[in-house]
Amino acid sequence: MAVVTSTARRRRSRARQTAGAKRSWGLTLGTGIVLIYSVLPLIWLIVNATKTQQDLRSSFGLWFAQDFALFDNIARALTYDDSVFIRWFLNTLLYVVAGAGGATLISTIGGYGLAKFDFAGKKAIFAVIIGAVAVPGTALAVPTFLLFSSVQLTNNPLSVIIPSLVAPFGLYLMWVYSTDAIPVDLLDAARIDGAGEFKIFRRIGLPLLGPGIVTVLLFTTVANWNNYFLPLIMIRNPDWYPLTVGINSWNTQASTAGGEAIFDLVITGSLLMIIPIIVIFLYLQRYWQSGLAAGGVKQ
């Protein structure tokens, strides 16, 4: 009897291993396709940032040319047109620090309040937030432009920063994270000890919300760093362009009358633009992964 049971177990084990091997091949194939689709544009960007203007047209796009011009391209991109690239970089930092930082602060305070306090209209607010998450930002860009135009606030950095302060997904994420990360009993104990609500939030809430705050900060930072459409319609003065709009103006100047074609600088500038966001992503990955996992497991 024992021999029969052992044989049956070995058969079931081999069956599971065979089924697992089939599933793993499919997952490996799918992961490989996604990896190639994701990495191929980055490889193309890195390779072509090392080429001169002439080599861009005469050489294969996914391999290096004979001349290695990466450092020369970087120097020219940073100094072209009175170093306007550095100006655009500083503008992008301004939009990211003020927009992403403000959106994270508002999301943290709002999410904590919605999670830990009961008040009339809470369900209605939840419905509004869920609905706002489903609305794409580009759909609101034109109405936002008309609104700011009516108060004569276009062509101003505030016209980019103020709309960036609204982050419905960040607010929803902080609401969910605050619900799970901060025990109600801990807050009640602090209230019994005489602590005020602001002190409880600052001394107890903020330390426990750290991973969630970093996650929201990372998502809002990436969204503001890559923001293109809103600055495009709001800003007319090139001195206030972010990198996305500025580099695109380099790209389109070749099609204008008498415009100089500088596709090598466009590609090199695009490479320089993504380096900071990659560094931030890699540095903060341990925080945002734990923040995204919050709420996925019921206690």
Side-chain angles (χ1 to χ4, degrees):
M1 185 65 182
V3 174
V4 173
T5 304
S6 176
T7 302
R9 287 177 178 174
R10 284 198 297 269
R11 289 177 177 174
R12 287 196 296 269
S13 177
R14 283 197 295 269
R16 285 195 296 268
Q17 290 176 358
T18 302
K22 291 180 180 178
R23 288 196 298 271
S24 68
W25 276 111
L27 289 175
T28 301
L29 179 61
T31 304
I33 294 174
V34 173
L35 179 64
I36 293 173
Y37 180 78
S38 304
V39 174
L40 199 60
L42 181 61
I43 295 175
W44 183 92
L45 182 64
I46 295 173
V47 169
N48 287 276
T50 66
K51 298 178 181 179
T52 63
Q53 179 77 13
Q54 293 75 20
D55 290 336
L56 282 174
R57 298 176 177 176
S58 59
S59 61
F60 179 56
L62 291 177
W63 194 245
F64 299 94
Q66 188 173 4
D67 295 331
F68 188 81
L70 174 62
F71 299 111
D72 181 61
N73 289 341
I74 292 176
R76 290 179 56 225
L78 295 178
T79 57
Y80 183 78
D81 195 13
D82 294 332
S83 301
V84 71
F85 182 89
I86 296 177
R87 169 81 184 187
W88 293 339
F89 180 80
L90 295 177
N91 292 342
T92 305
L93 281 182
L94 171 65
Y95 298 144
V96 168
V97 171
T104 303
L105 177 63
I106 294 173
S107 298
T108 302
I109 296 175
Y112 175 83
L114 289 169
K116 298 304 174 186
F117 296 96
D118 291 325
F119 51 89
K122 188 173 179 179
K123 291 184 178 180
I125 293 177
F126 177 79
V128 171
I129 294 174
I130 293 297
V133 170
V135 178
T138 52
L140 300 176
V142 174
T144 304
F145 169 77
L146 296 176
L147 177 64
F148 277 77
S149 178
S150 64
V151 295
Q152 298 182 351
L153 204 58
T154 56
N155 199 29
N156 188 305
L158 292 176
S159 62
V160 178
I161 294 173
I162 293 176
S164 302
L165 298 178
V166 181
F169 179 72
L171 178 58
Y172 173 75
L173 187 61
M174 289 308 303
W175 184 353
V176 174
Y177 195 86
S178 299
T179 302
D180 292 338
I182 305 176
V184 177
D185 295 340
L186 188 61
L187 301 181
D188 291 338
R191 294 186 181 109
I192 292 174
D193 291 340
E197 295 298 335
F198 178 73
K199 185 177 182 180
I200 293 174
F201 172 70
R202 181 170 57 86
R203 301 291 296 274
I204 298 177
L206 285 181
L208 294 176
L209 294 176
I213 294 173
V214 173
T215 302
V216 174
L217 179 63
L218 187 61
F219 278 106
T220 53
T221 297
V222 173
N224 282 272
W225 191 273
N226 296 328
N227 195 3
Y228 173 74
F229 191 55
L230 182 64
L232 178 66
I233 65 174
M234 288 290 190
I235 304 295
R236 296 191 306 275
N237 186 353
D239 287 340
W240 287 114
Y241 280 173
L243 282 171
T244 50
V245 181
I247 291 176
N248 185 60
S249 69
W250 279 0
N251 185 47
T252 57
Q253 78 173 21
S255 59
T256 60
E260 180 187 8
I262 49 172
F263 297 121
D264 53 340
L265 302 189
V266 173
I267 295 173
T268 305
S270 301
L271 178 63
L272 294 176
M273 176 184 167
I274 65 173
I275 290 176
I277 208 69
I278 292 176
V279 172
I280 293 174
F281 233 99
L282 294 177
Y283 179 73
L284 297 178
Q285 62 172 334
R286 56 179 174 173
Y287 298 103
W288 68 264
Q289 287 177 352
S290 60
L292 283 179
V297 179
K298 294 293 183 184
Q299 301 295 329

